[in-house]
Amino acid sequence: MIVTSKLEHLRWTMFDFLRAHGVNLHRSEDFHALGRMEGTRLLGVVGYNGFCGLTCQIHTAGDGHWVSREFIAKTFDYPFNQCGMEHLFAPVAENNLRALYFDKHMGFREFGRIKDGYERGTDMIVLTMAKKDCKW
């Protein structure tokens, strides 16, 4: 089952899920999320924040086999079609090889690096995806 962050308690539960899974994210009022649940257990979350112009940030985390084609389609439908965004960007720590592989497999491309941008000694890789390039 896919849930949205329209209910306040689900919004911050999904935010906490991302934080607990290593997503270095600060609480913000523009945070929105989609979650995939099995029964009452949250399996994965896609969060969005940093809405500015036609761009926003995207963050993902999950446990086990949490990704499905339906969830991926909703992941990109929300920012591109419902919110009217033209670009997404994903800040990823250079040592998070699993996230880099996953994001690139989804169609993100490396835009650039910020030295020590994730933490001291760890660069931030900025990945981007334009709506026109989204295959989902």
Side-chain angles (χ1 to χ4, degrees):
M1 170 174 51
I2 297 172
V3 295
T4 68
S5 60
K6 289 182 180 175
L7 297 174
E8 200 69 10
H9 77 283
L10 281 176
R11 177 182 183 193
W12 300 117
T13 297
M14 289 190 268
F15 175 87
D16 291 341
F17 183 94
L18 288 171
R19 293 281 300 173
H21 285 76
V23 177
N24 190 2
L25 182 62
H26 294 277
R27 194 173 175 123
S28 64
E29 288 305 312
D30 73 341
F31 177 77
H32 303 252
L34 299 173
R36 178 141 185 244
M37 297 189 75
E38 187 175 89
T40 59
R41 184 171 165 249
L42 196 53
L43 300 177
V45 171
V46 176
Y48 311 90
N49 74 335
F51 290 82
C52 183
L54 297 175
T55 304
C56 73
Q57 287 186 70
I58 185 171
H59 313 274
T60 62
D63 294 322
H65 299 287
W66 64 280
V67 178
S68 69
R69 286 196 172 277
E70 177 191 16
F71 193 66
I72 293 169
K74 290 187 183 305
T75 292
F76 295 107
D77 177 68
Y78 179 73
F80 289 142
N81 298 321
Q82 294 182 44
C83 297
M85 299 290 107
E86 290 293 325
H87 303 276
L88 298 175
F89 71 96
V92 182
E94 68 178 337
N95 57 2
N96 190 343
L97 301 180
R98 185 173 178 227
L100 289 168
Y101 175 81
F102 177 76
D103 291 349
K104 288 178 178 180
H105 182 72
M106 291 294 106
F108 284 85
R109 295 187 180 143
E110 186 171 329
F111 177 78
R113 290 176 176 250
I114 301 171
K115 180 142 180 68
D116 297 330
Y118 209 81
E119 61 188 22
R120 292 197 195 293
T122 305
D123 292 356
M124 177 186 292
I125 298 176
V126 179
L127 301 172
T128 62
M129 179 189 290
K131 179 180 179 177
K132 66 180 179 63
D133 297 328
C134 183
K135 60 186 177 184
W136 304 100

